[in-house]
Amino acid sequence: MFKNKSLSFGKIGQAMITKTITVGSFINQVHYSSVNHDSKEFVIFYPGDVQLSKLEFQRNLGSDYPFQNNNDIVEEVYYEKVLDLLHTKYPNANSYVIIQPSKLNTESLIYEFDNFYIKGNSIRLLLHILKDLFPNQTFGEPTENSPYLHLLAFSKGCVVLNSQINEYINFKRNINNKHNLFENFTWWDEKPQTVIHSCYHLKAVNPTKEVQQIIIDEMNQCINLFENNVSSIHFLDVHRFIYNKEILTGFITYLNERQENLFIKIHQTPLVKEQNIFRRHVKVESEVFLKTIQKQTNNVYYQYYYKELEKKRF
């Protein structure tokens, strides 16, 4: 049976609301907590595998809890606890939002953000989720005193950040040629390097003709969201990095032309040191990303954690 343990959720986790938001045919479940309605600061989090709410763990994994540490539950994998942690990092934020993967495989414990892997759809989904949750805010509009976003992702969730950066560059390159957007669209993982194991290759899906037109119609709002609302981007324990030189060059141009600095930080763990067949690409891709970006801009920061674990086998 699932271990009946008292969990120490704080007021943010306890106030968590779960909502299903439908954008056309795309269904997205979000978990959020709003506490400071006067603030213009919002925190968005894309989680990794094996992260669910307490109720979902009990319903989907009712036999045993997947993580334990000295017989104690590792609470940080609960969405409620994640909201508490985000509040600790950003205590003055208006709201904290967790966007759950759209495909949950509770047998393999591998989750996917399928809705965000469709070309041109990733920023648009975030925009609609924000407009649904916070209709009085001016997300995607070029207004003064705009709300600002901190985008954070852990592990699998980092591919969503890659997709959103990728989309923004494609939107900007085709802003005067919108109707050829999908003919000219470059996907960041289109031609993976040989070192990347097939299970990590992320294939993008072409949207239907109907969705293509909607994306084209909403391109300007998506560009505005990225340029006017996104304040910082944090990659936590990244599995995949953008390595496509064309997309990286476009991103560098954007960073250098942006009036207000976009703070980007890579928070990496010993994952980057792994050499097994499944993970050896992490070091290769991270070096390409960091060397390319840091050579031409000062906006990207890198922090390596857990040096005491470097000699441990993973």
Side-chain angles (χ1 to χ4, degrees), residues 7-16 75 80-81 83-84:
L7 301 173
S8 57
F9 299 145
K11 65 176 183 178
I12 308 302
Q14 290 176 356
M16 185 181 82
E75 299 174 357
E80 291 92 335
K81 190 66 174 182
L83 290 173
D84 287 334

Side-chain angles (χ1 to χ4, degrees), residues 13 44 54 58 81 143 164 196 267 269 273 275 294:
I44 311 299
K54 177 186 176 186
Q58 291 174 320
K81 190 66 174 182
T143 59
Q164 291 174 339
I196 297 169
H267 307 258
T269 69
K273 303 287 187 178
Q275 294 298 317
Q294 291 181 327

